[in-house]
Amino acid sequence: MAGFSKYHFARLFKQYTNSSFYKFLNQKRIEYAKSLLLDPELAVTEVAVQSGFSSLSAFLRMFKQLNLCTPTEFRNMYDSHFQKTPASGKK
């Protein structure tokens, strides 16, 4: 679309953003995955697919690398945070 080869685009992207396109893309995919993980009805496998990862193992590896926890641990932390915060102020 832009008229560049993927290699030239990658060089230009790195030059202007100080980040590789691959790293940028994975960060965006993981950000989106985190929003999907807030829905307890979605399986982690479905979150991986909807986030653009070709395999569950690639998703799990990248998620843990960027967040220092697994998607399930992230979901559990989010769930436990909101279970401990009662809406009425009472426990």
Side-chain angles (χ1 to χ4, degrees):
M1 282 179 98
F4 300 122
S5 72
K6 63 182 179 180
Y7 304 105
H8 187 61
F9 173 78
R11 271 186 272 132
L12 288 174
F13 191 91
K14 176 101 176 178
Q15 179 182 345
Y16 288 100
T17 65
N18 288 328
S19 176
S20 72
F21 179 71
Y22 175 74
K23 184 176 181 179
F24 173 81
L25 180 61
N26 279 323
Q27 287 172 338
K28 292 298 178 187
R29 286 177 173 170
I30 293 299
E31 285 176 28
Y32 181 62
K34 286 167 69 173
S35 70
L36 293 177
L37 286 167
L38 302 182
D39 180 357
E41 299 296 315
L42 278 177
V44 173
T45 304
E46 185 60 28
V47 170
V49 170
Q50 286 188 29
S51 300
F53 287 89
S54 58
S55 72
L56 180 60
S57 62
F59 170 66
L60 295 174
R61 185 173 48 254
M62 186 58 58
F63 193 96
K64 189 161 188 172
Q65 181 181 340
L66 294 177
N67 295 289
L68 304 177
C69 66
T70 66
T72 303
E73 290 168 342
F74 174 83
R75 180 179 272 169
N76 291 340
M77 285 187 291
Y78 178 81
D79 288 344
S80 66
H81 173 72
F82 281 97
Q83 289 173 0
K84 290 179 184 176
T85 310
S88 64
K90 297 179 183 176
K91 288 190 176 184

